[in-house]
Amino acid sequence: IIRVCFDCNFEDQMTWKEVNSLSLQLRYTYAMNRRSPKPVHIDVCSLKSGCDTRKHMEKVDGFPDSWANRAYHCHEGSLEEVFGEALSNIGKNKDEDKQEDNEEGQIGSKEDSGSSKDNCRQSLPKLRPNHQLVYLTGDSEETLSTLDNNTTYIIGGIVDRNRLKRAAIDRAEAIASNSTLPIKTARLPLNEHLDF
């Protein structure tokens, strides 16, 4: 199962209209994931209590608790906090890891039960040993050619109409230099497959 993370750490750099657009796009991803016969695991980080993005999303019935049943988890904590803790927990509870392996592909399983609407902190991602983090950005020199089910693909929660140049790659490089997260960058092979 593919895992995607939306990094909503850019709200203070966006206008109200851009934040509103971001919240709509996050709602669309939930709707598409809910209807998909093979949903991906989605984590949304830096969705802090009181932030405008979260306020827009709270207008949707069932957010965030019922969303977790379709593998959509929101976290107040930053990308560094959420995945730092999740990576440090790998292998700590072997019984849980075995049960997770047995439930692979089942959405709405045990991992969804730890949600709390008050602080928008749902259960941490359940990651396997050697899990990788790849921040997707068009500014990366590396091109993503295959998808791996032991990798989280991070998408910057930015709606900027090309105003915030290099914001995603600068964030990824800052995380890599200031934390212990094993984060890389890559760009989607759009130029190779689409005629712009």
Side-chain angles (χ1 to χ4, degrees):
I1 293 176
I2 301 298
R3 183 177 289 276
V4 174
C5 173
F6 293 102
D7 179 15
C8 294
N9 195 58
F10 303 92
E11 183 172 300
D12 60 343
Q13 300 175 52
M14 295 189 294
T15 66
W16 184 90
K17 187 176 181 180
E18 291 167 343
V19 169
N20 185 50
S21 181
L22 170 64
S23 67
L24 283 172
Q25 291 179 37
L26 291 172
R27 288 160 56 181
Y28 290 145
T29 61
Y30 167 71
M32 293 300 294
N33 209 44
R34 189 186 70 201
R35 288 192 295 264
S36 173
K38 293 186 178 185
V40 299
H41 284 275
I42 297 175
D43 291 288
V44 182
C45 294
S46 297
L47 200 58
K48 297 181 175 83
S49 181
C51 76
D52 288 336
T53 307
R54 181 176 169 186
K55 285 179 187 175
H56 287 300
M57 294 179 74
E58 285 176 339
K59 294 176 184 175
V60 179
D61 191 36
F63 175 84
D65 292 330
S66 65
W67 291 31
N69 294 329
R70 290 307 285 175
Y72 200 105
H73 300 273
C74 67
H75 308 276
E76 278 199 24
S78 68
L79 170 71
E80 302 93 300
E81 294 165 340
V82 172
F83 281 88
E85 190 174 341
L87 287 169
S88 69
N89 287 341
I90 290 176
K92 284 190 176 174
N93 189 337
K94 300 206 184 299
D95 292 336
E96 250 184 48
D97 291 344
K98 285 180 185 176
Q99 183 170 355
E100 178 75 14
D101 287 343
N102 291 336
E103 294 174 349
E104 183 72 26
Q106 295 180 13
I107 305 304
S109 63
K110 181 183 167 199
E111 77 174 288
D112 300 327
S113 62
S115 63
S116 170
K117 192 168 186 173
D118 291 336
N119 66 7
C120 200
R121 177 188 170 84
Q122 297 181 348
S123 61
L124 289 171
K126 303 280 193 284
L127 308 178
R128 293 182 176 167
N130 303 314
H131 192 83
Q132 301 291 309
L133 300 174
V134 176
Y135 213 116
L136 299 176
T137 170
D139 295 310
S140 179
E141 294 180 8
E142 299 296 320
T143 302
L144 188 67
S145 57
T146 59
L147 296 177
D148 174 36
N149 65 2
N150 199 28
T151 299
T152 296
Y153 299 96
I154 304 161
I155 299 170
I158 307 169
V159 176
D160 66 344
R161 314 291 185 239
N162 293 321
R163 188 172 45 78
L164 302 175
K165 302 290 187 193
R166 293 188 50 87
I169 197 164
D170 289 346
R171 170 111 169 96
E173 289 172 351
I175 293 170
S177 65
N178 296 324
S179 73
T180 58
L181 287 182
I183 195 165
K184 301 175 187 173
T185 63
R187 67 176 183 82
L188 296 174
L190 299 179
N191 293 334
E192 292 84 343
H193 298 285
L194 295 174
D195 182 7
F196 290 104

